Protein backbone atom coordinates (compact mmCIF):
# COMPACT_ATOMS: atom_id res chain seq x y z
CA UNK A 1 0.00 0.00 0.00
CA UNK A 2 1.51 3.24 -1.09
CA UNK A 3 1.40 6.44 0.89
CA UNK A 4 -1.33 8.09 -1.21
CA UNK A 5 -3.74 5.24 -0.77
CA UNK A 6 -3.17 5.21 2.99
CA UNK A 7 -3.98 8.91 3.16
CA UNK A 8 -7.24 8.40 1.31
CA UNK A 9 -8.22 5.53 3.61
CA UNK A 10 -7.60 7.60 6.75
CA UNK A 11 -9.59 10.54 5.37
CA UNK A 12 -12.50 8.26 4.52
CA UNK A 13 -12.48 6.75 8.03
CA UNK A 14 -12.50 10.19 9.62
CA UNK A 15 -15.40 11.34 7.45
CA UNK A 16 -17.36 8.23 8.32
CA UNK A 17 -16.72 8.74 12.02
CA UNK A 18 -17.85 12.37 11.75
CA UNK A 19 -21.01 11.35 9.95
CA UNK A 20 -21.80 8.78 12.63
CA UNK A 21 -21.25 11.36 15.34
CA UNK A 22 -23.52 13.81 13.54
CA UNK A 23 -26.27 11.17 13.26
CA UNK A 24 -25.97 10.40 16.97
CA UNK A 25 -26.23 14.10 17.84
CA UNK A 26 -29.30 14.52 15.65
CA UNK A 27 -30.98 11.47 17.19
CA UNK A 28 -30.34 12.70 20.75
CA UNK A 29 -31.52 16.19 19.91
CA UNK A 30 -34.68 14.84 18.26
CA UNK A 31 -35.45 12.71 21.33
CA UNK A 32 -35.03 15.71 23.64
CA UNK A 33 -37.29 17.82 21.43
CA UNK A 34 -39.94 15.08 21.44
CA UNK A 35 -39.77 14.83 25.24
CA UNK A 36 -40.08 18.60 25.59
CA UNK A 37 -43.05 18.70 23.23
CA UNK A 38 -44.72 15.86 25.09
CA UNK A 39 -44.15 17.62 28.43
CA UNK A 40 -45.60 20.87 27.10
CA UNK A 41 -48.60 19.03 25.71
CA UNK A 42 -49.14 17.26 29.05
CA UNK A 43 -48.95 20.55 30.92
CA UNK A 44 -51.40 22.15 28.51
CA UNK A 45 -53.80 19.23 28.91
CA UNK A 46 -53.48 19.41 32.71
CA UNK A 47 -54.19 23.13 32.71
CA UNK A 48 -57.18 22.65 30.42
CA UNK A 49 -58.59 19.96 32.72
CA UNK A 50 -57.98 22.13 35.79
CA UNK A 51 -59.70 25.08 34.07
CA UNK A 52 -62.68 22.93 33.08
CA UNK A 53 -62.88 21.59 36.62
CA UNK A 54 -62.78 25.13 38.05
CA UNK A 55 -65.52 26.31 35.69
CA UNK A 56 -67.73 23.35 36.54
CA UNK A 57 -67.07 23.81 40.28
CA UNK A 58 -68.12 27.46 40.06
CA UNK A 59 -71.20 26.51 38.09
CA UNK A 60 -72.11 23.86 40.68
CA UNK A 61 -71.64 26.30 43.57
CA UNK A 62 -73.83 28.85 41.82
CA UNK A 63 -76.58 26.27 41.28
CA UNK A 64 -76.29 25.11 44.87
CA UNK A 65 -76.56 28.68 46.17
CA UNK A 66 -79.56 29.36 43.92
CA UNK A 67 -81.29 26.21 45.16
CA UNK A 68 -80.54 26.87 48.83
CA UNK A 69 -81.88 30.42 48.47
CA UNK A 70 -85.37 28.92 48.21
CA UNK A 71 -84.77 26.09 50.68
CA UNK A 72 -87.20 27.63 53.19
CA UNK A 73 -89.99 27.44 50.60
CA UNK A 74 -89.80 23.66 50.26
CA UNK A 75 -92.84 23.43 52.53
CA UNK A 76 -94.94 24.76 49.66
CA UNK A 77 -94.16 21.70 47.52
CA UNK A 78 -96.79 18.99 47.45
CA UNK A 79 -94.04 16.34 47.77
CA UNK A 80 -90.29 16.28 48.29
CA UNK A 81 -89.38 14.08 45.31
CA UNK A 82 -87.87 17.06 43.50
CA UNK A 83 -85.68 17.88 46.50
CA UNK A 84 -84.66 14.22 46.75
CA UNK A 85 -83.64 14.17 43.06
CA UNK A 86 -81.63 17.34 43.56
CA UNK A 87 -79.78 15.92 46.57
CA UNK A 88 -78.97 12.69 44.70
CA UNK A 89 -77.63 14.60 41.69
CA UNK A 90 -75.64 16.93 43.94
CA UNK A 91 -74.00 14.01 45.77
CA UNK A 92 -73.00 12.47 42.41
CA UNK A 93 -71.43 15.76 41.28
CA UNK A 94 -69.56 16.11 44.57
CA UNK A 95 -68.23 12.55 44.20
CA UNK A 96 -66.90 13.24 40.70
CA UNK A 97 -65.23 16.42 41.94
CA UNK A 98 -63.52 14.50 44.73
CA UNK A 99 -62.22 11.95 42.24
CA UNK A 100 -60.80 14.73 40.05
CA UNK A 101 -59.15 16.35 43.05
CA UNK A 102 -57.61 13.03 44.09
CA UNK A 103 -56.20 12.48 40.61
CA UNK A 104 -54.76 15.98 40.64
CA UNK A 105 -53.17 15.40 44.05
CA UNK A 106 -51.55 12.16 42.78
CA UNK A 107 -50.22 13.95 39.65
CA UNK A 108 -51.98 11.39 37.52
CA UNK A 109 -50.87 11.26 33.88
CA UNK A 110 -54.06 9.48 32.76
CA UNK A 111 -55.55 12.47 30.98
CA UNK A 112 -58.17 10.34 29.28
CA UNK A 113 -59.63 9.31 32.65
CA UNK A 114 -59.75 12.94 33.80
CA UNK A 115 -61.38 14.02 30.57
CA UNK A 116 -63.97 11.26 30.96
CA UNK A 117 -64.80 12.46 34.46
CA UNK A 118 -65.00 16.07 33.22
CA UNK A 119 -67.42 14.92 30.51
CA UNK A 120 -69.47 13.00 33.06
CA UNK A 121 -69.39 16.00 35.39
CA UNK A 122 -70.72 18.24 32.62
CA UNK A 123 -73.62 15.83 32.09
CA UNK A 124 -74.45 15.63 35.80
CA UNK A 125 -74.35 19.43 36.19
CA UNK A 126 -76.62 19.75 33.15
CA UNK A 127 -79.06 17.40 34.90
CA UNK A 128 -78.71 19.50 38.06
CA UNK A 129 -79.54 22.63 36.06
CA UNK A 130 -82.75 21.05 34.85
CA UNK A 131 -83.77 20.07 38.38
CA UNK A 132 -83.07 23.55 39.75
CA UNK A 133 -84.98 25.17 36.87
CA UNK A 134 -87.95 22.85 37.49
CA UNK A 135 -87.74 23.52 41.22
CA UNK A 136 -87.75 27.31 40.78
CA UNK A 137 -90.66 27.11 38.33
CA UNK A 138 -92.61 25.01 40.83
CA UNK A 139 -91.84 27.48 43.64
CA UNK A 140 -92.92 30.38 41.43
CA UNK A 141 -96.15 28.61 40.45
CA UNK A 142 -96.99 27.71 44.02
CA UNK A 143 -96.09 31.23 45.14
CA UNK A 144 -98.55 32.65 42.61
CA UNK A 145 -101.20 30.19 43.80
CA UNK A 146 -100.57 31.14 47.40
CA UNK A 147 -100.75 34.83 46.52
CA UNK A 148 -104.10 34.21 44.83
CA UNK A 149 -105.36 32.20 47.80
CA UNK A 150 -104.14 34.89 50.16
CA UNK A 151 -106.04 37.52 48.19
CA UNK A 152 -109.17 35.35 48.24
CA UNK A 153 -108.80 34.82 51.98
CA UNK A 154 -108.42 38.57 52.51
CA UNK A 155 -111.55 39.18 50.45
CA UNK A 156 -113.47 36.56 52.43
CA UNK A 157 -112.21 38.09 55.67
CA UNK A 158 -113.34 41.51 54.52
CA UNK A 159 -116.75 40.12 53.62
CA UNK A 160 -116.95 38.34 56.99
CA UNK A 161 -115.98 41.58 58.72
CA UNK A 162 -118.67 43.45 56.82
CA UNK A 163 -121.22 40.78 57.73
CA UNK A 164 -120.05 40.88 61.33
CA UNK A 165 -120.42 44.66 61.37
CA UNK A 166 -123.90 44.35 59.89
CA UNK A 167 -124.85 41.72 62.48
CA UNK A 168 -123.43 43.88 65.26
CA UNK A 169 -125.30 46.90 63.94
CA UNK A 170 -128.51 44.89 63.64
CA UNK A 171 -128.02 43.49 67.14
CA UNK A 172 -127.44 46.99 68.50
CA UNK A 173 -130.52 48.26 66.67
CA UNK A 174 -132.62 45.38 67.99
CA UNK A 175 -131.33 46.00 71.48
CA UNK A 176 -132.16 49.68 71.19
CA UNK A 177 -135.62 48.84 69.87
CA UNK A 178 -136.12 46.37 72.71
CA UNK A 179 -135.04 49.00 75.21
CA UNK A 180 -137.33 51.53 73.56
CA UNK A 181 -140.25 49.12 73.79
CA UNK A 182 -139.44 48.33 77.39
CA UNK A 183 -139.11 52.00 78.26
CA UNK A 184 -142.41 52.61 76.52
CA UNK A 185 -143.97 50.05 78.86
CA UNK A 186 -142.45 51.77 81.87
CA UNK A 187 -144.96 53.55 84.10
CA UNK A 188 -144.52 57.25 84.69
CA UNK A 189 -145.47 59.00 87.92
CA UNK A 190 -145.88 62.67 88.78
CA UNK A 191 -146.56 64.81 91.83
CA UNK A 192 -144.56 62.75 94.32
CA UNK A 193 -145.10 64.07 97.85
CA UNK A 194 -143.82 62.89 101.23
CA UNK A 195 -145.42 63.60 104.62
CA UNK A 196 -145.25 62.64 108.27
CA UNK A 197 -148.40 61.69 110.21
CA UNK A 198 -149.15 61.65 113.95
CA UNK A 199 -151.00 58.99 115.90
CA UNK A 200 -154.35 60.49 114.83
CA UNK A 201 -153.48 60.12 111.16
CA UNK A 202 -153.06 63.85 110.61
CA UNK A 203 -150.07 65.55 109.06
CA UNK A 204 -147.28 66.20 111.52
CA UNK A 205 -144.70 68.96 110.93
CA UNK A 206 -142.39 67.72 113.72
CA UNK A 207 -140.66 64.65 112.37
CA UNK A 208 -139.74 63.46 115.86
CA UNK A 209 -143.46 63.07 116.67
CA UNK A 210 -144.31 61.15 113.52
CA UNK A 211 -145.95 57.76 113.88
CA UNK A 212 -146.25 57.13 110.15
CA UNK A 213 -144.55 58.28 106.95
CA UNK A 214 -146.32 58.29 103.62
CA UNK A 215 -145.60 58.99 99.93
CA UNK A 216 -148.32 59.88 97.42
CA UNK A 217 -147.98 60.10 93.62
CA UNK A 218 -150.03 60.00 90.44
CA UNK A 219 -149.53 57.24 87.83
CA UNK A 220 -149.93 58.57 84.27
CA UNK A 221 -152.00 56.71 81.63
CA UNK A 222 -149.91 54.34 79.43
CA UNK A 223 -151.59 52.11 76.86
CA UNK A 224 -148.27 50.40 76.10
CA UNK A 225 -147.92 49.09 79.64
CA UNK A 226 -149.50 45.76 80.47
CA UNK A 227 -152.59 46.22 82.66
CA UNK A 228 -153.07 44.25 85.83
CA UNK A 229 -151.75 44.15 89.39
CA UNK A 230 -148.75 46.41 89.93
CA UNK A 231 -146.47 46.26 92.96
CA UNK A 232 -145.12 49.69 93.90
CA UNK A 233 -142.12 49.70 96.26
CA UNK A 234 -141.00 52.64 98.38
CA UNK A 235 -137.53 53.16 99.82
CA UNK A 236 -136.88 55.86 102.47
CA UNK A 237 -133.28 56.80 103.32
CA UNK A 238 -132.79 58.67 106.60
CA UNK A 239 -130.52 61.73 106.99
CA UNK A 240 -127.94 59.33 108.47
CA UNK A 241 -127.97 57.28 105.24
CA UNK A 242 -129.81 54.32 106.77
CA UNK A 243 -132.64 52.54 104.97
CA UNK A 244 -135.90 52.53 106.90
CA UNK A 245 -136.64 48.86 106.31
CA UNK A 246 -139.26 46.23 106.81
CA UNK A 247 -141.10 46.25 103.47
CA UNK A 248 -139.65 43.12 101.86
CA UNK A 249 -137.38 42.75 98.84
CA UNK A 250 -137.77 43.30 95.09
CA UNK A 251 -135.56 42.75 92.03
CA UNK A 252 -133.97 45.47 89.95
CA UNK A 253 -131.10 45.12 87.45
CA UNK A 254 -130.75 41.48 88.44
CA UNK A 255 -130.24 42.24 92.13
CA UNK A 256 -132.48 41.79 95.14
CA UNK A 257 -133.09 45.14 96.88
CA UNK A 258 -134.76 45.77 100.26
CA UNK A 259 -137.67 48.20 100.44
CA UNK A 260 -139.25 50.28 103.19
CA UNK A 261 -142.86 49.47 102.23
CA UNK A 262 -144.84 48.36 99.20
CA UNK A 263 -148.39 48.29 97.87
CA UNK A 264 -150.17 46.28 95.19
CA UNK A 265 -152.79 48.08 93.11
CA UNK A 266 -154.86 47.26 90.00
CA UNK A 267 -153.71 49.24 86.97
CA UNK A 268 -156.03 49.64 83.97
CA UNK A 269 -153.86 51.98 81.87
CA UNK A 270 -155.71 54.97 83.28
CA UNK A 271 -154.49 57.76 85.53
CA UNK A 272 -154.58 56.85 89.19
CA UNK A 273 -153.30 58.08 92.55
CA UNK A 274 -151.31 55.76 94.78
CA UNK A 275 -150.26 56.23 98.42
CA UNK A 276 -147.78 54.05 100.29
CA UNK A 277 -147.40 54.25 104.11
CA UNK A 278 -144.77 53.05 106.56
CA UNK A 279 -145.28 52.69 110.31
CA UNK A 280 -142.45 54.29 112.22
CA UNK A 281 -140.55 51.76 114.32
CA UNK A 282 -137.42 53.78 115.13
CA UNK A 283 -136.42 57.24 116.30
CA UNK A 284 -136.54 59.80 113.49
CA UNK A 285 -134.33 62.88 113.30
CA UNK A 286 -134.75 66.13 111.39
CA UNK A 287 -132.94 66.45 108.07
CA UNK A 288 -133.10 65.42 104.44
CA UNK A 289 -134.92 62.19 103.60
CA UNK A 290 -134.60 60.48 100.24
CA UNK A 291 -137.72 58.84 98.84
CA UNK A 292 -137.56 56.39 95.89
CA UNK A 293 -140.45 54.67 94.08
CA UNK A 294 -140.02 51.44 92.03
CA UNK A 295 -142.29 49.30 89.84
CA UNK A 296 -141.74 46.51 87.28
CA UNK A 297 -137.97 46.65 87.82
CA UNK A 298 -137.72 50.40 87.11
CA UNK A 299 -137.02 53.29 89.41
CA UNK A 300 -139.88 55.68 88.71
CA UNK A 301 -138.78 58.59 90.90
CA UNK A 302 -136.23 59.76 93.47
CA UNK A 303 -136.61 62.99 95.48
CA UNK A 304 -135.23 64.63 98.61
CA UNK A 305 -137.55 66.02 101.33
CA UNK A 306 -136.48 68.13 104.29
CA UNK A 307 -138.23 67.18 107.49
CA UNK A 308 -138.06 69.58 110.47
CA UNK A 309 -138.46 69.28 114.21
Amino acid sequence: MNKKFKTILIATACALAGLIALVVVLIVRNNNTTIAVNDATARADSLAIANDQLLLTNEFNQLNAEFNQYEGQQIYLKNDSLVQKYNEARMKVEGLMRELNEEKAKHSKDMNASRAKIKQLEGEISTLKGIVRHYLEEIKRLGEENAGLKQEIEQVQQQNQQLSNQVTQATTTNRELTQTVQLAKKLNITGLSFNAYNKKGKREKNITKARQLGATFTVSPNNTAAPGMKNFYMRIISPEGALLGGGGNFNIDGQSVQSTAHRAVEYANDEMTVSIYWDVNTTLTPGDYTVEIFCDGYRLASRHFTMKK
Side-chain angles (χ1 to χ4, degrees), residues 44-68:
D45 289 344
S46 180
L47 289 174
I49 291 173
N51 183 63
D52 290 342
Q53 182 181 354
L54 180 61
L55 291 176
L56 292 174
T57 301
N58 291 336
E59 191 172 2
F60 169 73
N61 291 336
Q62 183 178 354
L63 286 172
N64 204 24
E66 189 174 2
F67 188 87
N68 290 335

mmCIF file of all heavy atoms in Angstrom, residues 44-68:
data_model
loop_
_atom_site.group_PDB
_atom_site.id
_atom_site.type_symbol
_atom_site.label_atom_id
_atom_site.label_comp_id
_atom_site.label_asym_id
_atom_site.label_seq_id
_atom_site.Cartn_x
_atom_site.Cartn_y
_atom_site.Cartn_z
ATOM 1 N N ALA A 44 -50.245 21.458 29.097
ATOM 2 C CA ALA A 44 -51.397 22.152 28.510
ATOM 3 C C ALA A 44 -52.693 21.385 28.790
ATOM 4 O O ALA A 44 -53.720 21.973 29.144
ATOM 5 C CB ALA A 44 -51.196 22.329 27.006
ATOM 6 N N ASP A 45 -52.625 20.042 28.636
ATOM 7 C CA ASP A 45 -53.801 19.229 28.913
ATOM 8 C C ASP A 45 -54.202 19.334 30.383
ATOM 9 O O ASP A 45 -55.386 19.415 30.728
ATOM 10 C CB ASP A 45 -53.528 17.768 28.552
ATOM 11 C CG ASP A 45 -53.458 17.565 27.040
ATOM 12 O OD1 ASP A 45 -53.923 18.467 26.310
ATOM 13 O OD2 ASP A 45 -52.936 16.520 26.606
ATOM 14 N N SER A 46 -53.213 19.313 31.275
ATOM 15 C CA SER A 46 -53.482 19.408 32.713
ATOM 16 C C SER A 46 -54.128 20.736 33.065
ATOM 17 O O SER A 46 -55.082 20.811 33.849
ATOM 18 C CB SER A 46 -52.177 19.228 33.493
ATOM 19 O OG SER A 46 -52.417 19.326 34.882
ATOM 20 N N LEU A 47 -53.610 21.818 32.453
ATOM 21 C CA LEU A 47 -54.190 23.134 32.708
ATOM 22 C C LEU A 47 -55.615 23.224 32.169
ATOM 23 O O LEU A 47 -56.498 23.821 32.803
ATOM 24 C CB LEU A 47 -53.316 24.226 32.067
ATOM 25 C CG LEU A 47 -51.965 24.486 32.739
ATOM 26 C CD1 LEU A 47 -51.143 25.481 31.918
ATOM 27 C CD2 LEU A 47 -52.163 25.014 34.159
ATOM 28 N N ALA A 48 -55.837 22.630 31.003
ATOM 29 C CA ALA A 48 -57.182 22.650 30.423
ATOM 30 C C ALA A 48 -58.164 21.904 31.315
ATOM 31 O O ALA A 48 -59.292 22.358 31.553
ATOM 32 C CB ALA A 48 -57.156 22.032 29.023
ATOM 33 N N ILE A 49 -57.729 20.738 31.817
ATOM 34 C CA ILE A 49 -58.595 19.963 32.720
ATOM 35 C C ILE A 49 -58.864 20.735 34.001
ATOM 36 O O ILE A 49 -59.994 20.790 34.509
ATOM 37 C CB ILE A 49 -57.947 18.598 33.020
ATOM 38 C CG1 ILE A 49 -57.968 17.726 31.758
ATOM 39 C CG2 ILE A 49 -58.659 17.892 34.167
ATOM 40 C CD1 ILE A 49 -57.219 16.427 31.897
ATOM 41 N N ALA A 50 -57.808 21.350 34.565
ATOM 42 C CA ALA A 50 -57.977 22.132 35.791
ATOM 43 C C ALA A 50 -58.929 23.299 35.558
ATOM 44 O O ALA A 50 -59.772 23.624 36.418
ATOM 45 C CB ALA A 50 -56.618 22.635 36.283
ATOM 46 N N ASN A 51 -58.820 23.955 34.395
ATOM 47 C CA ASN A 51 -59.699 25.077 34.072
ATOM 48 C C ASN A 51 -61.146 24.610 33.932
ATOM 49 O O ASN A 51 -62.081 25.247 34.439
ATOM 50 C CB ASN A 51 -59.225 25.748 32.784
ATOM 51 C CG ASN A 51 -60.049 26.967 32.435
ATOM 52 O OD1 ASN A 51 -60.075 27.941 33.186
ATOM 53 N ND2 ASN A 51 -60.736 26.920 31.310
ATOM 54 N N ASP A 52 -61.331 23.468 33.212
ATOM 55 C CA ASP A 52 -62.682 22.926 33.078
ATOM 56 C C ASP A 52 -63.271 22.570 34.439
ATOM 57 O O ASP A 52 -64.455 22.812 34.716
ATOM 58 C CB ASP A 52 -62.665 21.684 32.185
ATOM 59 C CG ASP A 52 -62.367 22.045 30.722
ATOM 60 O OD1 ASP A 52 -62.522 23.233 30.376
ATOM 61 O OD2 ASP A 52 -61.967 21.142 29.967
ATOM 62 N N GLN A 53 -62.429 21.971 35.285
ATOM 63 C CA GLN A 53 -62.885 21.589 36.621
ATOM 64 C C GLN A 53 -63.278 22.817 37.427
ATOM 65 O O GLN A 53 -64.294 22.824 38.128
ATOM 66 C CB GLN A 53 -61.785 20.815 37.349
ATOM 67 C CG GLN A 53 -62.216 20.343 38.742
ATOM 68 C CD GLN A 53 -61.095 19.609 39.453
ATOM 69 O OE1 GLN A 53 -60.046 19.369 38.868
ATOM 70 N NE2 GLN A 53 -61.337 19.265 40.698
ATOM 71 N N LEU A 54 -62.478 23.888 37.320
ATOM 72 C CA LEU A 54 -62.778 25.125 38.054
ATOM 73 C C LEU A 54 -64.092 25.735 37.573
ATOM 74 O O LEU A 54 -64.925 26.167 38.381
ATOM 75 C CB LEU A 54 -61.635 26.123 37.878
ATOM 76 C CG LEU A 54 -61.806 27.478 38.589
ATOM 77 C CD1 LEU A 54 -61.931 27.282 40.092
ATOM 78 C CD2 LEU A 54 -60.637 28.410 38.271
ATOM 79 N N LEU A 55 -64.287 25.752 36.240
ATOM 80 C CA LEU A 55 -65.520 26.313 35.692
ATOM 81 C C LEU A 55 -66.738 25.515 36.151
ATOM 82 O O LEU A 55 -67.768 26.089 36.544
ATOM 83 C CB LEU A 55 -65.445 26.324 34.157
ATOM 84 C CG LEU A 55 -64.445 27.306 33.527
ATOM 85 C CD1 LEU A 55 -64.415 27.129 32.012
ATOM 86 C CD2 LEU A 55 -64.778 28.746 33.886
ATOM 87 N N LEU A 56 -66.613 24.184 36.115
ATOM 88 C CA LEU A 56 -67.731 23.349 36.543
ATOM 89 C C LEU A 56 -67.997 23.482 38.043
ATOM 90 O O LEU A 56 -69.144 23.457 38.489
ATOM 91 C CB LEU A 56 -67.454 21.889 36.180
ATOM 92 C CG LEU A 56 -67.458 21.572 34.677
ATOM 93 C CD1 LEU A 56 -67.034 20.130 34.439
ATOM 94 C CD2 LEU A 56 -68.831 21.826 34.088
ATOM 95 N N THR A 57 -66.908 23.621 38.825
ATOM 96 C CA THR A 57 -67.066 23.815 40.276
ATOM 97 C C THR A 57 -67.820 25.110 40.560
ATOM 98 O O THR A 57 -68.735 25.152 41.411
ATOM 99 C CB THR A 57 -65.702 23.838 40.974
ATOM 100 O OG1 THR A 57 -65.030 22.600 40.731
ATOM 101 C CG2 THR A 57 -65.866 24.034 42.474
ATOM 102 N N ASN A 58 -67.434 26.178 39.874
ATOM 103 C CA ASN A 58 -68.115 27.463 40.062
ATOM 104 C C ASN A 58 -69.584 27.373 39.649
ATOM 105 O O ASN A 58 -70.471 27.920 40.314
ATOM 106 C CB ASN A 58 -67.412 28.560 39.253
ATOM 107 C CG ASN A 58 -66.042 28.898 39.817
ATOM 108 O OD1 ASN A 58 -65.776 28.673 41.000
ATOM 109 N ND2 ASN A 58 -65.162 29.437 38.986
ATOM 110 N N GLU A 59 -69.833 26.672 38.560
ATOM 111 C CA GLU A 59 -71.202 26.515 38.090
ATOM 112 C C GLU A 59 -72.033 25.720 39.095
ATOM 113 O O GLU A 59 -73.188 26.053 39.382
ATOM 114 C CB GLU A 59 -71.198 25.812 36.730
ATOM 115 C CG GLU A 59 -72.548 25.828 36.030
ATOM 116 C CD GLU A 59 -72.464 25.299 34.606
ATOM 117 O OE1 GLU A 59 -71.341 24.894 34.193
ATOM 118 O OE2 GLU A 59 -73.501 25.293 33.923
ATOM 119 N N PHE A 60 -71.417 24.664 39.665
ATOM 120 C CA PHE A 60 -72.111 23.858 40.680
ATOM 121 C C PHE A 60 -72.411 24.694 41.918
ATOM 122 O O PHE A 60 -73.523 24.642 42.471
ATOM 123 C CB PHE A 60 -71.256 22.650 41.046
ATOM 124 C CG PHE A 60 -71.759 21.905 42.262
ATOM 125 C CD1 PHE A 60 -72.901 21.127 42.202
ATOM 126 C CD2 PHE A 60 -71.093 22.001 43.482
ATOM 127 C CE1 PHE A 60 -73.363 20.445 43.314
ATOM 128 C CE2 PHE A 60 -71.548 21.334 44.592
ATOM 129 C CZ PHE A 60 -72.689 20.555 44.505
ATOM 130 N N ASN A 61 -71.426 25.458 42.374
ATOM 131 C CA ASN A 61 -71.638 26.297 43.570
ATOM 132 C C ASN A 61 -72.741 27.324 43.341
ATOM 133 O O ASN A 61 -73.533 27.616 44.251
ATOM 134 C CB ASN A 61 -70.336 27.000 43.954
ATOM 135 C CG ASN A 61 -69.286 26.037 44.479
ATOM 136 O OD1 ASN A 61 -69.627 24.949 44.971
ATOM 137 N ND2 ASN A 61 -68.024 26.393 44.363
ATOM 138 N N GLN A 62 -72.793 27.879 42.137
ATOM 139 C CA GLN A 62 -73.828 28.851 41.817
ATOM 140 C C GLN A 62 -75.211 28.194 41.847
ATOM 141 O O GLN A 62 -76.167 28.753 42.386
ATOM 142 C CB GLN A 62 -73.560 29.464 40.439
ATOM 143 C CG GLN A 62 -74.557 30.553 40.046
ATOM 144 C CD GLN A 62 -74.229 31.171 38.697
ATOM 145 O OE1 GLN A 62 -73.211 30.860 38.107
ATOM 146 N NE2 GLN A 62 -75.095 32.051 38.218
ATOM 147 N N LEU A 63 -75.304 26.991 41.248
ATOM 148 C CA LEU A 63 -76.578 26.269 41.282
ATOM 149 C C LEU A 63 -76.992 25.923 42.704
ATOM 150 O O LEU A 63 -78.161 26.041 43.086
ATOM 151 C CB LEU A 63 -76.458 24.988 40.444
ATOM 152 C CG LEU A 63 -76.442 25.147 38.921
ATOM 153 C CD1 LEU A 63 -76.135 23.813 38.264
ATOM 154 C CD2 LEU A 63 -77.778 25.680 38.426
ATOM 155 N N ASN A 64 -76.018 25.482 43.486
ATOM 156 C CA ASN A 64 -76.293 25.108 44.874
ATOM 157 C C ASN A 64 -76.793 26.313 45.674
ATOM 158 O O ASN A 64 -77.737 26.210 46.463
ATOM 159 C CB ASN A 64 -75.028 24.544 45.514
ATOM 160 C CG ASN A 64 -75.341 23.630 46.685
ATOM 161 O OD1 ASN A 64 -76.430 23.061 46.769
ATOM 162 N ND2 ASN A 64 -74.406 23.487 47.595
ATOM 163 N N ALA A 65 -76.154 27.458 45.467
ATOM 164 C CA ALA A 65 -76.558 28.677 46.168
ATOM 165 C C ALA A 65 -77.960 29.100 45.741
ATOM 166 O O ALA A 65 -78.782 29.520 46.573
ATOM 167 C CB ALA A 65 -75.559 29.801 45.899
ATOM 168 N N GLU A 66 -78.239 28.975 44.436
ATOM 169 C CA GLU A 66 -79.560 29.359 43.922
ATOM 170 C C GLU A 66 -80.644 28.441 44.481
ATOM 171 O O GLU A 66 -81.739 28.890 44.827
ATOM 172 C CB GLU A 66 -79.550 29.292 42.400
ATOM 173 C CG GLU A 66 -80.799 29.877 41.742
ATOM 174 C CD GLU A 66 -80.680 29.928 40.233
ATOM 175 O OE1 GLU A 66 -79.643 29.465 39.699
ATOM 176 O OE2 GLU A 66 -81.605 30.436 39.587
ATOM 177 N N PHE A 67 -80.323 27.152 44.601
ATOM 178 C CA PHE A 67 -81.285 26.206 45.159
ATOM 179 C C PHE A 67 -81.522 26.470 46.642
ATOM 180 O O PHE A 67 -82.657 26.513 47.113
ATOM 181 C CB PHE A 67 -80.776 24.783 44.948
ATOM 182 C CG PHE A 67 -81.771 23.718 45.319
ATOM 183 C CD1 PHE A 67 -82.701 23.272 44.406
ATOM 184 C CD2 PHE A 67 -81.777 23.160 46.592
ATOM 185 C CE1 PHE A 67 -83.617 22.294 44.737
ATOM 186 C CE2 PHE A 67 -82.686 22.185 46.940
ATOM 187 C CZ PHE A 67 -83.611 21.756 45.996
ATOM 188 N N ASN A 68 -80.428 26.659 47.382
ATOM 189 C CA ASN A 68 -80.538 26.868 48.825
ATOM 190 C C ASN A 68 -81.227 28.176 49.162
ATOM 191 O O ASN A 68 -81.760 28.333 50.270
ATOM 192 C CB ASN A 68 -79.148 26.846 49.470
ATOM 193 C CG ASN A 68 -78.537 25.462 49.450
ATOM 194 O OD1 ASN A 68 -79.257 24.460 49.390
ATOM 195 N ND2 ASN A 68 -77.218 25.378 49.472
#
